[in-house]
Amino acid sequence: MESLDQLVSGLGNALTPEYLLFALIGCVLGQLVGVLPGVGPTAGIAVLIPLTFQLDPTGAIIMLAAIYYGAMYGGTITSVLLNTPGEAASVVTTMDGYQMALQGRGGVALGISAIGSFVGGTIATFGLVLVAPPLSRFALRFGPAEQFALLILGLSTLIGLTGRSVVLGLLMGILGLMLGLIGLDPVIGAPRLTFGMVQLFDGIEFVTVAMGLFGISEILLNLEQPAMQIFETKVANLFPRREEWRRAFGSIVRGTGLGFVLGLVPGTNSAIASFLSYVVERRFTKQPLGTGAIEGVAAPETANNAYTSAALIPLFTLGIPSSPAIAVLMGAFIINGLVPGPLLFRDNPTFVWTVIASLYVGNAILLLLNLPLVGLWVQVLKIPYPILMVLILVFSIVGSYSLNGSMFDVGTMFLFGVLGYFFKKLDLPMAPMILALVLGPLIERSLRTSLEISGGELSIFYTSPIAVTLLGIAAIVLVSSALPILSLRRARAAASEDAEI
Amino acid sequence: MARAYQVVSVLFLLLGLFVLYESLQLRYFTMLGPGSGFFGVWLGSLMAALAVLFFVRNSVPQWRRDEPIDLIPGSLAGFRLAVTLALLALTVVLLPILGFRLTVLGLALILLTVVGRQRWWVAVLVSLAASFGTYYVFSLLSVFLPTGPNGI
């Protein structure tokens, strides 16, 4: 009941004109990010963070969270109408969504995906309201050893579930941790890996790395792609027939449950949620999937939006981002002076509950906006890519420069853009790297504090039941991922982490 | 791909050894507990060890992946990429000297005409919006970008 009272209070804040406007702007920008091929949610949030610099922390996170889940809605439109997924989670939607469009039922596909997304997102947010407060209270019992074990578990799960090679995932994770070493030692203040450069004393700006790895690298990759052909399909009859409602109902329920559960698991992503829900639907649908079955649209679209809201639970309660997009969102929290984790609910309840309430508001805005704006998004897709490329590039320059008013950050962003280009070409997983970069300072601090308490004895990690359990699970995840029989290889092949980005 | 991954392994190995060397110059342990070099020593060692493992994995025929890899772009894509990278490098050098508006105007014009093959008037309009327009909008948001000669 206490949670519901706080949610109602948060809703009051989220409905103030100012925050309503930020949610609206975020939803529209998010849809734009979702619509544009080659600009995934991770790059979208990273590039648009500078827009929020002048906002208060609550407004900034409301807008960025809206961009995050707005992208999930936007990606559907191009999947259905153009057979071109705007982001990875919508890839499977093309299979039946586009077939429905060819049969003149594109409007119904968009309608059911908007409704399913709203239901999935809203129910998952309700789950967040129920689960997050007790989980964060439990996590408050954690000391540095337990916190270290938890962070290692989060990182291990991501490494275990993404990419084709666990060794490669570990290498990329360590690379991210090494980047986190750069700067002054947080305890003693000694410079590390700074090469005498004053600009590196504060460490590498996370946002510039994210913008480079995900935004600039995508521009460089797209230079190698042929121009996309745009064609139009008419949209009419947005609402399903009674029989279609009946068929879609079960898909929406299953998609919500699956998306919610996967959102709680670090290392998964929304593409895995939508792909698995599509696989599950094969067992339930009478009409074969891939022939324009409404279940093939309703289930994955519901699952990816349920995932999106549920993935905020590990972030809000434990301070663990479960995917690259959430890691960038976590970076935005830190920029705004907020540290996600159990203390967030205790120390910043107004902020937390306003942001959670804004998820409901945002989902409602998206349901209302999604269909009327379809025509606009199709027009946006007609803008030649070179023009979009220039605009994204200019926005990235402004964003990285405005962090510290320094050209050093612009140069760093370009450097990581080139690195990201080669990482993608070589299929090196970037998700462990970006997550490790965010978690690196926290992991180091908790490790060092633990060893300070124990006088350098490692026993502190295996005498704590919670820590030893979490570290045990982390080891099992890594070992099982290395064994082909137990790995989620099939899911990965269809929904790789790079596609999510 | 196996050859490319062997090169990647060597680069990781060198990086790991470098971080290990740099961290060994710092205090590993102090009276209070782990020192500045503690984490780096472990990370460097672990990376070096994993890099060797990865190299071996990509050298043994039964284990390695021999899928083709498209690392080098074609001539047209390579030209676009080279021009774009050169422009990005020039932007870092010229932005503090010429200011945001002039540098971005030039960057956008060249990108749109040479790389993007857009019509000249489209390129001019978009470039003006991207440079002078962006500068104006962000000045309204109190984000002040570098200026060049005569405050342009």
Side-chain angles (χ1 to χ4, degrees), chain A residues 84-98:
Chain A
T84 307
E87 38 80 38
S90 300
V91 168
V92 290
T93 309
T94 57
M95 296 180 193
D96 284 276
Y98 186 61

Side-chain angles (χ1 to χ4, degrees), chain A residues 74-357:
Chain A
T76 313
I77 297 168
T78 48
S79 292
V80 171
L81 297 184
L82 307 174
N83 201 23
T84 307
E87 38 80 38
S90 300
V91 168
V92 290
T93 309
T94 57
M95 296 180 193
D96 284 276
Y98 186 61
Q99 286 299 321
M100 287 179 75
L102 290 179
Q103 294 161 14
R105 295 190 297 138
V108 175
L110 288 175
I112 199 67
S113 66
I115 292 163
S117 298
F118 175 75
V119 173
T122 305
I123 292 178
T125 305
F126 189 66
L128 169 65
V129 172
L130 293 181
V131 174
L135 193 58
S136 67
R137 275 196 294 274
F138 176 70
L140 277 174
R141 296 185 206 162
F142 287 15
E146 290 79 10
Q147 197 194 5
F148 172 75
L150 183 68
L151 292 167
I152 292 296
L153 173 62
L155 198 52
S156 306
T157 323
L158 187 67
I159 289 168
L161 292 184
T162 56
R164 296 184 184 185
S165 159
V166 173
V167 177
L168 201 48
L170 282 168
L171 282 166
M172 293 300 282
I174 294 171
L175 181 61
L177 291 174
M178 280 177 175
L179 288 173
L181 280 181
I182 295 172
L184 296 179
D185 170 13
V187 180
I188 299 171
R192 297 185 300 192
L193 302 172
T194 56
F195 313 105
M197 297 168 78
V198 181
Q199 296 97 326
L200 287 176
F201 277 22
D202 284 336
I204 291 189
E205 280 289 349
F206 168 78
V207 178
T208 59
V209 176
M211 283 200 286
L213 283 180
F214 301 122
I216 302 295
S217 68
E218 204 57 50
I219 288 175
L220 299 178
L221 276 176
N222 282 334
L223 290 171
E224 298 179 18
Q225 307 297 324
M228 192 179 68
Q229 296 299 315
I230 301 296
F231 46 93
E232 287 187 62
T233 312
K234 283 192 176 176
V235 177
N237 301 327
L238 298 172
F239 291 99
R241 297 186 295 262
R242 178 176 292 187
E243 187 257 341
E244 287 176 320
W245 272 116
R246 191 182 54 74
R247 285 168 52 190
F249 178 77
S251 308
I252 289 174
V253 171
R254 287 186 289 275
T256 301
L258 192 71
F260 183 78
V261 171
L262 282 172
L264 300 175
V265 182
T268 54
N269 61 44
S270 53
I272 291 179
S274 58
F275 175 75
L276 285 182
S277 73
Y278 190 80
V279 172
V280 168
E281 281 314 298
R282 280 186 190 279
R283 295 172 183 271
F284 291 94
T285 178
K286 287 178 183 165
Q287 181 183 351
L289 292 185
T291 59
I294 197 164
E295 295 92 334
V297 176
E301 285 302 319
T302 306
N304 78 43
N305 281 275
Y307 171 93
T308 304
S309 294
L312 294 173
I313 295 175
L315 178 72
F316 279 12
T317 56
L318 307 173
I320 293 182
S322 52
S323 70
I326 298 277
V328 175
L329 199 59
M330 181 172 173
F333 272 70
I334 293 167
I335 287 173
N336 281 287
L338 299 158
V339 181
L343 294 176
L344 201 60
F345 275 86
R346 194 189 71 184
D347 298 344
N348 302 90
T350 310
F351 162 80
V352 172
W353 289 105
T354 305
V355 170
I356 292 175

Side-chain angles (χ1 to χ4, degrees), chain A residues 164-165 185 223 425-426, chain B residues 5 36 57 65 70 80:
Chain A
R164 296 184 184 185
S165 159
D185 170 13
L223 290 171
K425 282 248 169 182
L426 288 163
Chain B
Y5 275 179
S36 306
R57 200 185 153 185
R65 285 165 63 188
D70 178 27
R80 287 178 185 163

